[in-house]
């Protein structure tokens, strides 16, 4: 079964631009979570979508947004890019909504590495 | 406010010996804990988990211990192999508003042949 697919894998943008990243979850998975990974901060939660609804949002500014489509594919958008947005953006899918003792295993994609110049 | 802490950024171990990776948490509402392993240029992969009703869970060479009173968990790898060299992330989850997975910053494990 195909894994989580993230596109693009690498991209370079300049400050002030905006970027859209895409994530296709494992077939049948309805939950998609997004994380930002930086060397100093580890994995930081951005948001989670389940059945097209945002269930939870991390502590990121409003420049970070996302959405989920009826086929469970998800996109995240970052507007007015800043140098500090350079990071690896990871998408993870799970069969059930992530949380508590019912947390299903999260399956991560390989990430989209964003460099902001 | 870092709710899941991995205080050792790196750990180096000889092949065949035991690797012990530690993780502390501050949120008493967390009741489910997971470890993920990440190789360079790959996404993290699930390794092992433990529910707060248990204090130990074992899967082959990997054992996770949970000390709820100390809000501490550890991952033991015995025996360590060079292929275990990776970044290990501890994660925690709870119910209600704490349900989302909160990750630590990771520990880079290097197993030397």
């Amino acid at each position: 079964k195909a894994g989580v697919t993230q596109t693009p894998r690498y991209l370079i943008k300049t400050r002030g631009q905006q970027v859209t990243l895409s994530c296709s979850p494992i077939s049948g998975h309805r939950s998609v979570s997004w994380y930002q990974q930086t060397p100093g901060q580890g994995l930081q939660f951005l948001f989670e979508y389940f059945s097209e609804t945002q269930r939870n949002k991390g502590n990121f500014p409003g420049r970070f947004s996302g959405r989920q489509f009826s086929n469970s594919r998800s996109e995240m958008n970052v507007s007015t890019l800043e140098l500090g947005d350079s990071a690896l953006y990871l998408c993870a899918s799970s069969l059930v909504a992530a949380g508590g003792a019912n947390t299903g295993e999260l399956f991560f994609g390989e990430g989209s590495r964003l460099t902001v110049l | 406010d870092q709710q899941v802490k991995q205080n050792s950024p790196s750990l180096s171990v000889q092949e065949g010996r035991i690797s012990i990776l530690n993780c502390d948490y501050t949120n008493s509402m967390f009741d489910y804990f997971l470890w993920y392993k990440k190789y360079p240029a790959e996404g993290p992969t699930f390794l092992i988990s433990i529910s707060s009703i248990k204090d130990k869970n074992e899967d082959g060479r990997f054992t996770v211990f949970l000390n709820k009173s100390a809000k501490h968990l550890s991952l033991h790898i015995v025996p360590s192999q060079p292929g275990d060299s990776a970044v290990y992330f501890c994660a925690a989850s709870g119910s209600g508003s704490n349900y989302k997975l909160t990750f630590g910053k990771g520990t880079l494990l290097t197993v030397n042949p």
Side-chain angles (χ1 to χ4, degrees):
Chain A
K1 144 168 140 172
V4 178
T5 304
Q6 291 188 246
T7 56
R9 289 292 311 281
Y10 303 92
L11 67 166
I12 300 174
K13 294 284 188 178
T14 56
R15 280 181 298 175
Q17 287 187 309
Q18 67 102 26
V19 66
T20 299
L21 308 177
S22 179
C23 172
S24 293
I26 290 173
S27 178
H29 285 193
R30 294 164 64 191
S31 170
V32 173
S33 301
W34 288 89
Y35 289 84
Q36 181 195 63
Q37 185 189 8
T38 56
Q41 298 298 321
L43 282 166
Q44 292 192 289
F45 175 76
L46 281 155
F47 25 66
E48 183 203 359
Y49 287 88
F50 184 80
S51 295
E52 301 179 68
T53 301
Q54 186 180 86
R55 293 190 70 221
N56 203 354
K57 191 175 190 300
N59 297 323
F60 280 81
R63 300 185 296 107
F64 292 80
S65 63
R67 58 179 176 168
Q68 187 180 33
F69 303 95
S70 58
N71 62 358
S72 293
R73 189 177 71 85
S74 177
E75 288 181 348
M76 68 162 282
N77 183 278
V78 188
S79 61
T80 320
L81 284 166
E82 300 176 359
L83 295 178
D85 297 333
S86 295
L88 180 67
Y89 290 88
L90 289 161
C91 165
S93 77
S94 62
L95 196 59
V96 299
N102 293 320
T103 293
E105 177 184 340
L106 287 184
F107 293 83
F108 283 85
E110 294 180 317
S112 294
R113 183 163 295 281
L114 170 65
T115 301
V116 182
L117 302 176
Chain B
D1 174 23
Q2 197 181 346
Q3 299 187 64
V4 178
K5 301 178 184 179
Q6 294 178 258
N7 293 319
S8 297
S10 63
L11 175 68
S12 184
V13 171
Q14 283 299 119
E15 181 179 5
R17 305 295 290 271
I18 183 171
S19 295
I20 300 177
L21 296 101
N22 294 303
C23 178
D24 297 293
Y25 61 97
T26 57
N27 190 335
S28 58
M29 300 303 291
F30 287 149
D31 58 10
Y32 194 69
F33 306 89
L34 308 90
W35 285 93
Y36 280 80
K37 178 170 73 173
K38 185 181 186 299
Y39 293 117
E42 295 183 11
T45 55
F46 170 77
L47 193 56
I48 192 169
S49 64
I50 187 167
S51 166
S52 61
I53 62 173
K54 295 184 176 181
D55 54 18
K56 176 183 173 181
N57 189 26
E58 191 173 351
D59 184 2
R61 296 186 297 114
F62 303 90
T63 302
V64 56
F65 295 92
L66 175 63
N67 183 333
K68 289 188 291 294
S69 60
K71 294 191 178 66
H72 176 83
L73 64 154
S74 60
L75 174 68
H76 292 210
I77 306 174
V78 182
S80 301
Q81 300 173 354
D84 296 329
S85 297
V87 176
Y88 289 78
F89 291 98
C90 168
S93 176
S95 54
S97 61
N98 298 295
Y99 77 90
K100 64 174 176 62
L101 274 183
T102 301
F103 284 83
K105 293 187 178 182
T107 297
L108 172 63
L109 172 66
T110 303
V111 180
N112 301 303

